[in-house]
Amino acid sequence: MSYALTLEEMTPALRVLRLIAAECAHLPAPFVHLTPIEPERLELSLHDVDLTGDTFNVFELWREALGIDPDQVTFRVQGNGRTRVLRATGPYGGADVTLTAYADAPAAVTTTTGGAA
């Protein structure tokens, strides 16, 4: 299988990226992923982009701007519980957009039993 597409063949994802750049310029910049394997898909990912450390707040800003239904959001934990992940996919500007946010999980609370600390 060959993935040597022309830019013209990647028009759906490129068009939506241009639209997002125009309409969402006020939002923190995500990582952007395009692939000739799925030329109709654009992936945006957020990695600790907010100064408060709450990437999920920025995820919500992006989700709302893209009009992705909150029911499409999934949550999971990876990296032995060290990383929280939000993910949602929805149509935008003629392409499918997948939005993913990665954030450090809060440190586990350690409790001590028996004896004074």
Side-chain angles (χ1 to χ4, degrees):
M1 178 182 286
S2 173
Y3 299 116
L5 297 182
T6 64
L7 285 178
E8 182 177 355
E9 292 169 302
M10 294 193 61
T11 296
L14 291 169
R15 184 180 299 128
V16 78
L17 179 59
R18 182 176 178 190
L19 181 63
I20 286 171
E23 294 182 354
C24 302
H26 62 286
L27 293 174
F31 287 80
V32 176
H33 181 76
L34 298 155
T35 176
I37 297 169
E38 295 180 284
E40 69 290 338
R41 176 177 303 279
L42 174 69
E43 295 182 23
L44 306 175
S45 61
L46 305 161
H47 302 261
D48 295 322
V49 294
D50 189 60
L51 294 178
T52 67
D54 194 352
T55 303
F56 289 174
N57 284 339
V58 177
F59 175 90
E60 277 301 303
L61 293 173
W62 270 103
R63 186 197 57 73
E64 289 176 5
L66 297 171
I68 298 175
D69 189 321
D71 292 336
Q72 297 302 310
V73 177
T74 61
F75 172 79
R76 64 187 171 94
V77 178
Q78 66 184 35
N80 290 330
R82 293 186 312 260
T83 304
R84 300 173 298 155
V85 182
L86 286 180
R87 186 179 190 121
T89 299
Y92 188 83
D96 289 328
V97 177
T98 298
L99 177 64
T100 307
Y102 301 93
D104 291 335
V109 177
T110 305
T111 58
T112 310
T113 57

